[in-house]
Structure formats: structure tokens, C-alpha cells
């Protein structure tokens, strides 16, 4: 039985028709028990704005900032256990110092920055990405790099991503991987779409950067786009895992 649905926001539940979002909301709110969670690269304030813009299902928790923050609707608080865990190895000043000399890195807009995440905008080619990695490794800085949409580079604490945040929530709710559906469309969803035992959904409008994931038998690639694609995938996995 599927007990948890985790959805990326931009390009996954958002970006398609409002009627598709209505259909998903109507369906999800009638499933019990189905915990709905949004997992996004956006900051918390930005995802709240996004969720208020249409008739989305109400998430019990929001995983924001590429997994570095978890916020619960129940008490309207960020999860302090998770924040402590994330903070442990995060040294943003050292990261900034190490990357300062790289001329090809783009701007760091305030709207995309948050406590445990540095986001840099701009196109990076393979050689530049490798040089960035090498610079961080030489400085012995342990971080994860996620480059998505051919534009956003997220630098986050090592091992902290959408997947590790979801694993934390699965433990909190005592839910197993085979009881979870995860839906996404781009590279910053890769970690959660490839979690061991998880039921993945790739919406039809996914980016080429994640097209290879369609080959996995644990990932269902929807014929429909956006929210309707999520609903199609959810129903597929519910029938298989009934
Ligand atoms: Mg997306």
C-alpha cells in the first residue's frame, strides 16, 4: 500500500494545467492514509508562495532548499533534529573562500540562498564543473554538488539531499520504501527517484538530464505531463503495490 507521496514542485506538480492539479488534489485528499510531501530546490518562502498559487494538495511536510530544510505543517516549525544534522558539516565561509577564484561561476542571487545551501546561476560546461569539484576537493571541503536545468548549481552539505530528507521522514512516520511514491522531472530529483526500493514517477515533461532513469524498472514514466503525470504514476504504483 502506498502511504506517502513525495512530489517535486516546479515542472512536476506545477507548470501544467490547473485542471490537472485539481484532479490530483481531489484524488490525493481521498486516499487514506496517504501523507503528501513536497520536496523542492526552492527556499521555504518561495515554495509557500508557489503552493498558494493553485489548488495543490496540502503537504504534511515541506522539504525545501534541496533537502537541507524540513518544515512540518502540524506545528508550523522547521524540524530541529534535521537542522542539527545538516548543520554538523556545513562550512559556507570555507566554500565561498575556495570558489572565489573561479571566474566562470555565475551570480548568487539572494532569493536562492539559504542557511544550508549556496546556489549559483549560470551555464557550466563539463570542464568547468570538474574544475569546481577539484577546487573543493583540494580544499578538503565535503559538499554535494547538484547541477540542474542547465542553470542552477546547488552546493549543499555532504550527504544532505532530497533523498536523505525523505529517508528521515520515512523513519519518523515508520514508512517503508515500497510504501512511498516519489515524483520528479529534473536532476535535483535524481537522488530521491533512485532511492533503494522506492516507487519512482518521471513526468512526461522531464528534462533530458534525467531521461536515462526511464530505463529503471523502479521508475514509471508517465504519458501525461505535470500533475496529471503524477496522478497517472501514483495510480500505477497503487495497483502494483495493493
Ligand atoms: Mg522540478
Amino acid at each position: 500500500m502506498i502511504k506517502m507521496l513525495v512530489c517535486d514542485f516546479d515542472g512536476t506538480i506545477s507548470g501544467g494545467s490547473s485542471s490537472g492539479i485539481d484532479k490530483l488534489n481531489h484524488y490525493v485528499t481521498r486516499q487514506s492514509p496517504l501523507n503528501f510531501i513536497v520536496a523542492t530546490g526552492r527556499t521555504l518562502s518561495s515554495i509557500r508562495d508557489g503552493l498558494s498559487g493553485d489548488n495543490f494538495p496540502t503537504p504534511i511536510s515541506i522539504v525545501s532548499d534541496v533537502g537541507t530544510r524540513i518544515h512540518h505543517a502540524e506545528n508550523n516549525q522547521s524540524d530541529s533534529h534535521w537542522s542539527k544534522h545538516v548543520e554538523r558539516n556545513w562550512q559556507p565561509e570555507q566554500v565561498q573562500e575556495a570558489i572565489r577564484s573561479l571566474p566562470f561561476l555565475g551570480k548568487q542571487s539572494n532569493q536562492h540562498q539559504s542557511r544550508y545551501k549556496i546556489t549559483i546561476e549560470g551555464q557550466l560546461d563539463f570542464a568547468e564543473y570538474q574544475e569546481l569539484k577539484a577546487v573543493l576537493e583540494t580544499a578538503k571541503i565535503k559538499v554535494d554538488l547538484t547541477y540542474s536545468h542547465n542553470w542552477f548549481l546547488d552546493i549543499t552539505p555532504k550527504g544532505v539531499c532530497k533523498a536523505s530528507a525523505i529517508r528521515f521522514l520515512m523513519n519518523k512516520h515508520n514508512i517503508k520504501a515500497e510504501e512511498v511514491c516519489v515524483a520528479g522531472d529534473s536532476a535535483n530529483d535524481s537522488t530521491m527517484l533512485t532511492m533503494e526500493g522506492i516507487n519512482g514517477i518521471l513526468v512526461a515533461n522531464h528534462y533530458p538530464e534525467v531521461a536515462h532513469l526511464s530505463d529503471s524498472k523502479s521508475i514509471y514514466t508517465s504519458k501525461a505531463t505535470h500533475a496529471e503525470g503524477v496522478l497517472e504514476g501514483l495510480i500505477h504504483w497503487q495497483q502494483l503495490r495493493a
Side-chain angles (χ1 to χ4, degrees):
M1 180 188 267
I2 302 299
K3 295 181 180 171
M4 185 184 275
L5 172 65
V6 183
C7 293
D8 166 55
F9 186 72
D10 293 288
T12 300
I13 50 170
S14 166
S17 67
S18 287
S19 67
I21 296 166
D22 286 341
K23 280 185 211 163
L24 178 67
N25 189 353
H26 184 84
Y27 187 86
V28 166
T29 51
R30 276 156 188 76
Q31 304 297 302
S32 182
L34 183 65
N35 296 297
F36 179 64
I37 286 162
V38 171
T40 179
R42 288 189 183 212
T43 61
L44 183 61
S45 62
S46 171
I47 185 59
R48 281 175 152 167
D49 280 352
L51 286 168
S52 68
D54 222 322
N55 184 30
F56 295 102
T58 305
I60 60 156
S61 299
I62 293 173
V63 172
S64 67
D65 306 272
V66 210
T68 60
R69 188 171 185 182
I70 299 175
H71 192 274
H72 302 299
E74 183 187 45
N75 56 4
N76 196 25
Q77 300 270 328
S78 286
D79 195 299
S80 57
H81 295 289
W82 185 247
S83 297
K84 274 189 198 124
H85 169 72
V86 171
E87 198 169 271
R88 211 170 295 157
N89 295 315
W90 183 229
Q91 299 171 309
E93 297 82 13
Q94 281 89 331
V95 175
Q96 297 286 12
E97 182 60 33
I99 64 176
R100 198 191 305 274
S101 60
L102 298 173
F104 51 80
L105 291 181
K107 61 175 181 178
Q108 298 181 23
S109 314
N110 279 341
Q111 58 171 332
H112 296 307
Q113 311 311 313
S114 63
R115 195 159 174 184
Y116 308 119
K117 171 182 83 125
I118 295 170
T119 297
I120 302 170
E121 288 178 78
Q123 289 193 337
L124 281 184
D125 64 27
F126 183 74
E128 290 166 341
Y129 184 82
Q130 292 303 319
E131 190 177 342
L132 168 66
K133 266 177 74 172
V135 159
L136 291 165
E137 277 167 22
T138 304
K140 296 194 168 25
I141 294 171
K142 291 188 167 53
V143 289
D144 279 343
L145 302 177
T146 310
Y147 184 54
S148 54
H149 301 197
N150 206 20
W151 190 255
F152 292 107
L153 173 77
D154 293 312
I155 305 179
T156 49
K158 187 82 193 160
V160 176
C161 56
K162 287 185 177 183
S164 53
I166 292 163
R167 208 168 288 120
F168 176 86
L169 288 171
M170 284 162 55
N171 288 337
K172 177 178 158 70
H173 295 284
N174 198 20
I175 291 175
K176 299 195 262 309
E178 57 265 35
E179 298 169 325
V180 181
C181 267
V182 161
D185 76 313
S186 83
N188 77 19
D189 303 315
S190 294
T191 60
M192 63 174 186
L193 284 166
T194 55
M195 286 169 75
E196 180 80 41
I198 217 107
N199 305 297
I201 302 165
L202 205 52
V203 289
N205 55 293
H206 60 266
Y207 278 76
E209 64 201 22
V210 287
H212 62 282
L213 297 179
S214 284
D215 297 338
S216 164
K217 65 178 196 299
S218 65
I219 293 186
Y220 176 82
T221 306
S222 299
K223 292 170 193 68
T225 69
H226 305 97
E228 286 194 67
V230 174
L231 178 56
E232 180 190 324
L234 174 63
I235 292 170
H236 167 85
W237 286 119
Q238 280 181 321
Q239 285 168 351
L240 268 183
R241 300 280 181 258

